[in-house]
Amino acid sequence: MNMPMLLPHPHQHFLKGLLRASFRCYHFIFHSSTHFGSGIPCAQPFNSLGLHCTKWMLLSNGLKRKLCVQTTLKDHTEGLSDKEQRFVDKLYSGLIQGQRACLAEAITLVESTHSRKKELAQVLLQKVLLYHREQEQSNRGKPLAFRVGLSGPPGAGKSTFIEYFGKMLTERGHKLSVLAVDPSSCTSGGSLLGDKTRMTELSRDMNAYIRPSPTRGNLGGVTRTTNEAILLCEGAGYDIILIETVGVGQSEFAVADMVDMFVLLLPPAGGDELQGIKRGIIEMADLVAVTKSDGDLIVPARRIQAEYVSALKLLRKRSQVWKPKVIRISARSGEGISEMWDKMKDFQNLMLASGELTAKRRKQQKVWMWNLIQESVLEYFRTHPTVREQIPLLEQKVLTGALSPGLAADFLLKAFKSGDY
């Protein structure tokens, strides 16, 4: 039996009585100002939403609570002024029409750390996400774009490869977006953002869009908002998204959690790559490409290719339908790049047919959510009034050696907990 009720100010004894009753299912809608006494959980207000939907189900093995927050687009836009609403609508309409200026402005908006601009960015992203879902449904549920992550050590020829590869794709009728992530200086906090200057031909191509972004100290080699930028690029009609990341190492493969295929580019004659490139990054690779395979470097490139073919055999399989490949390419002569694209298409088709690609994207959405939660919780912790007062004093004690880092962290966590009650 279902019993829908609108309860602006439900009484806790009334709710407790309902929970002891014999109904099978209760469905209540609470106003955002609803508060309960101890022992009765409540849906906390979600930003500026007006209503919350809380479903209680009485099962044979006990009570199960299912919380459903109604986050319609109307709820998101309620708190916007007319000027802000016009701004978001202008960006959205220009974006879905494929205007590069609107796409650039939209990515700038989602990269902003200003609190109000963050809220505007979420409204825009929600509109783009709804549009994106409609487009996917009209495409029989298939992804609209192919997301490819590129990584490799400095000097591997990533920018040169993207220039040649991108021109080849645009000539074949594709629309390409390149999200190039540059490392930010630990000293000055600045970033060179020089990738676009090395892709002179591609940057002038109207079917290509190149966006360099700083890491701002993110260890994973991608920015906080790379996922949002991918979504915006797909909304603007780009069907191939390349994400070029910083360096190679154990912590440099966060990009693997946001792309369909991860490609590792390696230079030949760079010493003992199997020793220098850590195992973690190789395990994430779906395709390994040995670059600069031309002229005097052909022999070293073949040797490196053979080494990696042997190394990949020892690693655990991550897919039931795809076995990682090792190929040789040359961006200068173009050798092997067309064949590389053929292998990338084979990967996409196999993963789509098996359902692994859909499952992978769903899992990535979950990872994305938790990454944002971790970042927000840390920011909330740092700006908490009780913690903010203690941080300078405890940092000074840690610097002078009067207090261990672990003990200082415990003190801050206790201050945080006590300040929340």
Side-chain angles (χ1 to χ4, degrees):
M1 174 179 178
N2 288 332
M3 200 169 81
M5 300 181 67
L6 184 63
L7 302 173
H9 302 288
H11 196 274
Q12 61 177 4
H13 298 299
F14 170 74
L15 287 175
K16 285 179 178 176
L18 280 177
L19 293 178
R20 288 194 292 268
S22 57
F23 298 116
R24 191 69 182 166
C25 178
Y26 315 101
H27 186 218
F28 306 107
I29 297 180
F30 303 114
H31 194 265
S32 60
S33 61
T34 299
H35 295 282
F36 303 98
S38 62
I40 299 292
C42 170
Q44 294 296 325
F46 186 83
N47 290 342
S48 60
L49 304 185
L51 294 176
H52 297 274
C53 160
T54 305
K55 188 178 288 185
W56 293 82
M57 301 178 68
L58 198 62
L59 305 176
S60 57
N61 61 346
L63 185 68
K64 180 181 178 183
R65 177 187 179 211
K66 184 179 180 182
L67 175 67
C68 167
V69 184
Q70 297 176 334
T71 56
T72 63
L73 194 56
K74 183 181 177 183
D75 294 325
H76 275 288
T77 56
E78 274 180 359
L80 299 185
S81 67
D82 290 341
K83 183 179 179 182
E84 289 172 335
Q85 187 63 59
R86 287 195 301 270
F87 172 68
V88 171
D89 289 343
K90 184 199 79 168
L91 281 187
Y92 172 72
S93 59
L95 183 75
I96 63 174
Q97 290 169 17
Q99 295 178 17
R100 292 153 64 102
C102 288
L103 174 59
E105 196 171 354
I107 295 177
T108 301
L109 182 66
V110 300
E111 286 180 349
S112 174
T113 55
H114 188 275
S115 58
R116 188 58 182 169
K117 288 184 177 179
K118 278 184 177 182
E119 293 176 14
L120 293 177
Q122 290 308 312
V123 174
L124 175 64
L125 285 167
Q126 186 66 24
K127 288 169 74 75
V128 174
L129 187 60
L130 291 173
Y131 171 78
H132 189 264
R133 280 182 184 161
E134 289 173 3
Q135 294 296 106
E136 279 196 346
Q137 286 171 0
S138 63
N139 196 36
R140 294 179 297 177
K142 293 181 181 178
L144 299 171
F146 186 31
R147 306 169 183 172
V148 181
L150 289 172
S151 192
K158 295 187 291 295
S159 297
T160 308
F161 163 75
I162 292 173
E163 167 93 340
Y164 188 97
F165 185 62
K167 288 296 292 179
M168 183 191 77
L169 292 177
T170 55
E171 287 169 3
R172 296 186 182 188
H174 293 285
K175 289 192 71 178
L176 173 74
S177 176
V178 181
L179 302 175
V181 183
D182 265 14
S184 297
S185 169
C186 296
T187 307
S188 65
S191 189
L192 187 61
L193 302 179
D195 292 278
K196 197 169 183 177
T197 62
R198 291 183 293 187
M199 304 177 193
T200 52
E201 291 293 324
L202 192 62
S203 61
R204 290 196 292 265
D205 194 321
M206 293 307 295
N207 288 320
Y209 174 76
I210 304 173
R211 173 75 181 208
S213 299
T215 61
R216 293 189 180 93
N218 283 30
L219 190 61
V222 289
T223 69
R224 173 184 61 86
T225 54
T226 303
N227 264 311
E228 284 94 337
I230 291 171
L231 179 63
L232 292 173
C233 290
E234 291 182 4
Y238 292 91
D239 61 333
I240 299 174
I241 317 292
L242 292 182
I243 300 99
E244 180 194 352
T245 61
V246 185
V248 170
Q250 290 285 25
S251 62
E252 303 291 346
F253 51 86
V255 67
D257 283 327
M258 58 182 73
V259 295
D260 303 327
M261 185 177 196
F262 184 59
V263 179
L264 181 61
L265 301 181
L266 296 171
D272 188 356
E273 273 81 0
L274 295 181
Q275 176 70 22
I277 309 294
K278 301 302 180 185
R279 178 174 174 175
I281 194 75
I282 302 171
E283 286 180 325
M284 304 306 294
D286 300 301
L287 183 67
V288 177
V290 182
T291 60
K292 306 180 182 180
S293 179
D294 51 51
D296 295 337
L297 294 175
I298 289 180
V299 174
R302 285 176 179 165
R303 178 177 58 82
I304 295 299
Q305 182 185 21
E307 285 183 8
Y308 274 96
V309 168
S310 300
L312 288 171
K313 290 177 182 176
L314 304 175
L315 301 180
R316 183 180 299 175
K317 285 181 65 176
R318 293 187 300 112
S319 169
Q320 298 298 319
V321 296
W322 177 259
K323 184 178 177 182
K325 307 287 193 297
V326 185
I327 60 172
R328 289 182 295 109
I329 61 170
S330 170
R332 190 171 69 178
S333 66
E335 182 187 351
I337 293 183
S338 181
E339 291 79 3
M340 180 179 179
W341 173 237
D342 291 338
K343 291 188 184 300
M344 291 166 74
K345 287 192 295 184
D346 290 343
F347 171 87
Q348 185 186 28
N349 293 333
L350 285 171
M351 295 290 280
L352 270 175
S354 68
E356 286 188 30
L357 187 59
T358 305
K360 187 176 185 180
R361 285 203 174 187
R362 286 176 181 167
K363 184 180 177 183
Q364 288 172 351
Q365 292 290 98
K366 179 181 168 184
V367 171
W368 180 9
M369 179 191 78
W370 280 107
N371 286 342
L372 292 175
I373 288 173
Q374 287 176 4
E375 181 183 330
S376 298
V377 167
L378 181 59
E379 182 63 24
Y380 178 65
F381 175 79
R382 286 178 179 275
T383 56
H384 192 275
T386 312
V387 175
R388 194 171 60 235
E389 292 171 2
Q390 298 288 335
I391 285 177
L393 178 64
L394 290 173
E395 281 183 344
Q396 187 59 36
K397 288 188 176 182
V398 170
L399 287 171
T400 57
L403 202 64
S404 71
L407 198 55
D410 288 341
F411 282 143
L412 287 174
L413 288 170
K414 285 177 183 176
F416 179 70
K417 289 177 183 177
S418 63
D420 270 356
Y421 292 110

